[in-house]
Amino acid sequence: MRNEASLIPVYSGRDLGLTYTKDDCLFNIWAPTAERVVLALYEDAGQYNEHGNVTDHGGGREFPMTRNEYGVWSVRLQGDWKGYFYMYQVTVADREPHYVADPYSIAVSANGQRSAIVDLDDTNPSGWENDVRPRHGDPVDAVIYELHVRDFSSDPAAPFAYGRGGFRAFLQSGLKDAQGNSIGIDHLQELGITHVHLLPVSDYKTVNELAVATGDRSGYNWGYDPQHYNVPEGSYASDLADPAVRIREFKQVVQTFHAAGIGVIMDVVYNHTFTVDDGPFEPIVPGYFYRTDEHGRLSNGSGVGNELATERPMVRKYIKDSLRFWAKEYHVDGFRFDLLGLIDTPTVEELTKELRSEVYPGMMIYGEPWTGGDSPLQHKTLKGSQRGKGFAVFNDNYRTAIKGDSDGYGTGFSSGAWGKEDDVVQGIRGAIYDFTEIPSETINYVTAHDNLNLWDKMITIRHLRHACSFPDWNQGVPVDGRSAAEAVKAADPYHGISEEHLLKEESVRRSLLANGMVLTSQGVPFIHAGEEMLRSKYGDHNSYRSGDEVNAIRWANKARFLPVFKYYQGLIALRRSHPAFRMTTRGQIERHLEVLRASDHVVAFRLHGHANGDSWRNIVVIYNGSEREETMFLPADSERWHIVVNDCLAGTETLSIAEGDRVTIPRWSMMVLHDDPLSDQDGATDSEMLREEEQTEYFRMVEMCYERPDRRYEGWNVWVWGTGMQDGHVPLILTDDGRAIARIQVAPRVRKIGYIFRLNQWEDKDIDLDRYLELGDGNETVRVIIRSGTVAIQAV
């Protein structure tokens, strides 16, 4: 099929799937090798068997479709068909006619058995038109929190009033534990994260939605078994009878997070499908959508039996269409790609550029730069392939340097290993000497949903699994024959932990050090849900199907381990308050980050010179991974240092003062200090000088004079980013001489901004590419002329 694929016609239109209006419905499906395609319409979802499947799709009203030169089969039906269901009957040579759901379905029946016709306008929650994406500037300003929808609210002891395990749990605010601590979405807002990364929420295969709806909680999955890529998962919805409910409820989730100032990142799985022969693509265009080896066999770089051939035009188009749909229709703020290594780099580069130019410039794009096995794909998206392309990849180099291996007894810097200092320094610098061009290209983390979570890793390293009564697990079941519930009840993940002296405990200190390193390094920090409460999965290193007993977030642990939560909260506040931890360029890091020590299980560095415009002149960060306290010499240009992070507390306020040229750091801990501002010869302090400098630069203006030959400016505006202030839409002001001017404010030290002239909300663009304006040094207003349709910029 590899050679034949190039002969198959390609369609570039954006109307595949169903285009619904109250007056008519247009159905389009790309099936270039089909001999006949018929649309079948149904008044109901069909008859389900005991497994939750509909096996008989006969009896519908059938409408023959016509094929165009691009392989698209179409039919238009007059009238309002909302509430109906539909399938396609496809006939391919040498195969019997068979019914398939629409691969571009935007709504489906329970378990995705039939495509559904809905009016998306009816699914918008109240106030949806006023939903605004939170603005967080550069990707390095993000603090990402990875979360599974069901884990969030499946704890039976937590006081969720409704929607337990589903979308509606996120809509409940004001929830408290018995001690008055916030839980639920208020907890996330209190923690200070900027983005929640939701494990797959698009429709997946292996959980029987009908069983969940009747209260059967035995089915559980992370969702990396995709079925319908453009539809929310039904097991998280409150009503399966109405296909619009899951759509409306997920929109409400996004809306609620946005109101809390938190962006929503979707975990997406475009590298494979759950099955092939009865999956979403193979029955429609046999042999096209899947990658094969030199013998014509399905390749298995995913480890689950198949790979999508993303390098083929119509597969690439499908992925981009799907992402654009989620970003526009659901206001999603970013995407995390499962096994990004299996998606060819040109596809990732294209989708990144298009999403940011057509939908939202601040779109977060990142993924796993590896595969699950060998693949014939030539342009794999591995570490380094993202350089200069606008997206990021997970930094497993730094992960391993910090904690060691993922599931075994191997150690890293924070967990007892020696000789990791140089690797740690690479991570601190945002991997700019490893595999990145700029720090926003690295996602720094120590644990995610895969493998042992952080607490269980520390327990394993310290050979405490037996003491904690952790079972051995196999596919979500203890190997000793007990049920998961029995094994969890018998286990004690916190055996021997003194809550009175919690932050003196070795496992606690090592885990705080691990994520403390993540949160104070250059790059984009990422933490796994519940680590701020010492979450345990009872030693299960692969809990993708282990059920609520293992995976539920135990909200009682917030009160139990409140000092740990407050430590995380303080570190996040420190990072978000001080731009020195969020430098955006290689040059900034090279100028302002100085390594003070990297030896004997201690790494220390200084962020100096008001790095990235920080109000603090010098910041010293010290990591001590050793079993003993360490004495560290401090830079000689200051003799008085404010400690804001020690082994027990973290934040931005002074905890104590270090006088002199050295400081002592307790074992298995970190410390952050900043110096007193020094006075200049006129008596002004460094902070006063910085404030004065900021004031002179703060109102720096950029004036873009936009000229159109037709002098028609109605609806035109400029979209800007990188200003350091208010990115996004800037209106044009008409002048008497037939021009239009956009006035843009930029923050101190901004030397380049990006811009696109667009019509209304991306109905058209002046030039179909991102453009940049170099501002240079100084405080003067920058004035330029930009003529429609030309790339050249004329300085005034």
Side-chain angles (χ1 to χ4, degrees):
M1 186 65 195
R2 181 180 301 173
N3 294 329
E4 296 175 6
S6 62
L7 303 178
I8 290 180
V10 172
Y11 181 64
S12 61
R14 291 187 175 180
D15 57 353
L16 290 177
L18 166 65
T19 302
Y20 167 87
T21 72
K22 290 179 170 59
D23 297 320
D24 61 20
C25 284
L26 174 63
F27 299 85
N28 285 330
I29 180 172
W30 185 72
T33 59
E35 296 179 346
R36 185 171 184 263
V37 181
V38 174
L39 170 71
L41 279 180
Y42 310 90
E43 295 183 1
D44 57 39
Q47 296 298 312
Y48 285 83
N49 62 21
E50 66 275 17
H51 303 295
N53 298 319
V54 176
T55 58
D56 182 4
H57 294 290
R61 297 175 59 182
E62 297 192 347
F63 302 87
M65 305 178 75
T66 58
R67 183 189 188 279
N68 69 13
E69 59 185 308
Y70 304 107
V72 176
W73 295 78
S74 304
V75 65
R76 185 185 298 273
L77 301 184
Q78 300 298 318
D80 189 349
W81 295 91
K82 182 176 69 174
Y84 280 73
F85 299 85
Y86 71 99
M87 300 282 282
Y88 295 118
Q89 187 192 66
V90 179
T91 304
V92 180
D94 302 325
R95 298 193 182 193
E96 290 294 320
H98 51 277
Y99 289 95
V100 296
D102 188 348
Y104 274 81
S105 295
I106 58 172
V108 294
S109 61
N111 289 331
Q113 297 299 289
R114 287 178 178 173
S115 303
I117 302 176
V118 299
D119 184 347
L120 285 174
D121 289 342
D122 293 344
T123 68
N124 293 339
S126 176
W128 185 243
E129 68 279 4
N130 298 318
D131 179 63
V132 177
R133 289 182 166 93
R135 302 289 181 178
H136 295 295
D138 194 272
V140 296
D141 296 331
V143 178
I144 301 172
Y145 186 91
E146 184 201 43
L147 178 64
H148 184 264
V149 168
R150 188 155 151 180
D151 296 355
F152 180 73
S153 59
S154 58
D155 177 6
F160 290 94
Y162 50 85
R164 193 177 301 275
F167 290 138
R168 294 197 302 159
F170 292 101
L171 312 183
Q172 301 168 57
S173 61
L175 299 180
K176 305 281 187 181
D177 63 18
Q179 290 74 33
N181 298 299
S182 296
I183 69 168
I185 194 168
D186 294 345
H187 166 89
L188 302 183
Q189 191 172 19
E190 182 184 11
L191 182 60
I193 62 166
T194 67
H195 292 77
V196 64
H197 158 160
L198 297 177
L199 267 65
V201 293
S202 57
D203 182 64
Y204 53 86
K205 181 71 174 178
T206 54
V207 171
N208 185 343
E209 298 170 358
L210 293 172
V212 173
T214 61
D216 182 354
R217 309 292 294 180
S218 59
Y220 178 96
N221 206 283
W222 283 339
Y224 295 97
D225 51 335
Q227 180 173 223
H228 291 288
Y229 281 97
N230 301 322
V231 185
E233 165 61 18
S235 66
Y236 301 147
S238 63
D239 183 2
L240 293 174
D242 183 355
V245 168
R246 64 176 78 185
I247 301 173
R248 182 179 304 109
E249 289 181 351
F250 185 56
K251 287 181 177 180
Q252 289 176 314
V253 170
V254 175
Q255 184 182 42
T256 302
F257 273 118
H258 284 178
I262 298 172
V264 177
I265 297 169
M266 281 181 58
D267 202 325
V268 290
V269 191
Y270 295 107
N271 64 82
H272 73 274
T273 56
F274 177 66
T275 56
V276 174
D277 289 342
D278 60 348
F281 306 119
E282 184 69 11
I284 300 170
V285 193
Y288 182 84
F289 274 81
Y290 295 91
R291 196 171 288 140
T292 55
D293 62 20
E294 64 275 14
H295 303 293
R297 299 172 300 198
L298 289 173
S299 54
N300 189 24
S302 65
V304 296
N306 67 83
E307 306 170 40
L308 286 180
T310 63
E311 66 277 17
R312 293 178 182 165
M314 292 302 290
V315 184
R316 177 179 295 171
K317 172 181 169 54
Y318 183 87
I319 294 171
K320 294 195 296 183
D321 287 350
S322 177
L323 293 168
R324 190 183 305 108
F325 174 72
W326 284 108
K328 284 190 172 184
E329 183 64 34
Y330 289 88
H331 302 180
V332 167
D333 304 278
F335 299 96
R336 176 268 193 193
F337 289 81
D338 180 61
L339 294 184
L340 186 64
L342 292 177
I343 302 178
D344 63 291
T345 306
T347 292
V348 185
E349 190 174 6
E350 284 186 25
L351 67 87
T352 299
K353 180 178 178 181
E354 290 180 14
L355 287 171
R356 288 189 175 148
S357 64
E358 297 179 16
V359 184
Y360 172 47
M363 194 72 65
M364 296 286 292
I365 306 291
Y366 60 95
E368 297 177 306
W370 50 76
T371 68
D374 292 334
S375 171
L377 177 63
Q378 292 185 350
H379 300 291
K380 298 181 181 69
T381 305
L382 308 176
K383 287 193 298 290
S385 63
Q386 86 297 330
R387 282 194 182 100
K389 295 181 174 65
F391 62 93
V393 295
F394 283 98
N395 190 343
D396 57 331
N397 296 350
Y398 198 22
R399 176 198 70 189
T400 303
I402 293 175
K403 74 166 184 180
D405 62 26
S406 292
D407 294 327
Y409 297 94
T411 56
F413 180 90
S414 73
S415 51
W418 291 81
K420 300 294 184 181
E421 293 83 4
D422 289 344
D423 293 334
V424 167
V425 169
Q426 289 274 36
I428 289 168
R429 288 181 171 138
I432 59 171
Y433 299 137
D434 189 359
F435 63 87
T436 71
E437 180 175 299
I438 53 177
S440 60
E441 294 174 358
T442 173
I443 303 294
N444 297 331
Y445 76 118
V446 285
T447 48
H449 62 279
D450 282 322
N451 308 111
L452 289 174
N453 67 352
L454 184 56
W455 183 254
D456 292 351
K457 172 63 178 174
M458 294 302 172
I459 294 299
T460 299
I461 286 171
R462 298 188 61 211
H463 298 274
L464 297 174
R465 292 177 67 94
H466 180 73
C468 293
S469 301
F470 283 174
D472 292 324
W473 296 89
N474 181 27
Q475 298 289 304
V477 179
V479 297
D480 59 14
R482 290 179 294 171
S483 69
E486 291 170 333
V488 166
K489 185 176 181 180
D492 180 9
Y494 313 107
H495 176 78
I497 295 294
S498 167
E499 294 176 29
E500 183 179 357
H501 304 289
L502 183 64
L503 296 186
K504 299 299 181 182
E505 297 285 351
E506 179 178 348
S507 296
V508 175
R509 293 168 76 89
R510 289 192 183 280
S511 65
L512 289 178
L513 175 59
N515 267 327
M517 295 168 71
V518 167
L519 287 165
T520 50
S521 294
Q522 304 300 318
V524 182
F526 170 108
I527 58 177
H528 181 48
E531 288 177 352
E532 75 281 10
M533 299 181 285
L534 303 184
R535 180 185 185 183
S536 174
K537 294 183 181 179
Y538 308 91
D540 190 348
H541 74 278
N542 190 22
S543 64
Y544 78 101
R545 55 179 295 180
S546 299
D548 298 333
E549 295 87 355
V550 170
N551 287 292
I553 292 176
R554 311 290 178 178
W555 287 102
N557 282 341
K558 181 173 184 179
R560 186 178 181 184
F561 305 128
L562 192 60
V564 172
F565 168 80
K566 290 185 177 297
Y567 201 92
Y568 274 86
Q569 182 187 41
L571 286 173
I572 293 172
L574 174 68
R575 180 181 183 88
R576 294 189 62 184
S577 300
H578 286 278
F581 297 104
R582 300 178 276 113
M583 289 187 272
T584 59
T585 68
R586 179 190 184 115
Q588 282 182 316
I589 294 171
E590 290 175 332
R591 288 193 302 271
H592 296 291
L593 195 158
E594 173 191 5
V595 177
L596 303 175
R597 177 176 170 182
S599 62
D600 299 327
H601 220 149
V602 174
V603 173
F605 60 95
R606 174 169 66 155
L607 305 170
H608 60 85
H610 299 291
N612 199 23
D614 204 294
S615 60
W616 290 346
R617 186 187 66 159
N618 283 306
I619 303 172
V620 172
V621 182
I622 308 168
Y623 307 139
N624 178 14
S626 72
E627 296 180 345
R628 60 182 183 272
E629 67 178 28
E630 293 283 345
T631 297
M632 173 73 197
F633 284 91
L634 296 170
D637 51 357
S638 296
E639 295 184 352
R640 181 180 170 86
W641 295 84
H642 298 255
I643 299 174
V644 296
V645 176
N646 60 23
D647 59 329
C648 294
L649 296 168
T652 59
E653 300 299 320
T654 300
L655 304 174
S656 60
I657 300 292
E659 304 275 5
D661 62 353
R662 68 194 70 184
V663 70
T664 298
I665 307 93
R667 61 182 181 173
W668 312 314
S669 73
M670 64 181 293
M671 184 175 286
V672 179
L673 316 87
H674 70 92
D675 64 347
D676 264 345
L678 297 177
S679 297
D680 71 356
Q681 58 184 357
D682 297 321
T685 65
D686 280 349
S687 59
E688 289 170 346
M689 294 167 62
L690 178 64
R691 283 196 297 271
E692 181 179 349
E693 183 181 359
E694 286 177 340
Q695 287 172 0
T696 60
E697 294 182 341
Y698 188 84
F699 295 105
R700 187 181 190 190
M701 296 292 296
V702 175
E703 289 189 357
M704 291 184 175
C705 180
Y706 181 50
E707 296 183 353
R708 293 184 60 81
D710 57 11
R711 296 196 176 189
R712 293 181 179 176
Y713 297 100
E714 184 177 357
W716 285 93
N717 59 86
V718 61
W719 187 274
V720 297
W721 62 94
T723 66
M725 295 185 65
Q726 184 63 47
D727 292 350
H729 170 96
V730 177
L732 296 177
I733 302 171
L734 298 181
T735 64
D736 294 336
D737 59 356
R739 297 177 174 180
I741 294 177
R743 291 190 173 93
I744 302 155
Q745 287 186 333
V746 297
R749 297 172 182 80
V750 169
R751 297 294 175 261
K752 181 174 71 172
I753 63 172
Y755 69 95
I756 298 174
F757 281 95
R758 64 175 190 166
L759 179 62
N760 296 318
Q761 297 293 322
W762 305 106
E763 293 174 17
D764 195 5
K765 289 179 287 186
D766 186 83
I767 294 179
D768 192 18
L769 52 82
D770 294 354
R771 303 168 73 181
Y772 295 90
L773 178 62
E774 299 288 345
L775 305 182
D777 298 322
N779 301 317
E780 70 283 354
T781 297
V782 175
R783 294 182 173 89
V784 296
I785 298 174
I786 300 167
R787 293 183 172 86
S788 175
T790 64
V791 178
I793 299 173
Q794 178 183 335
V796 177

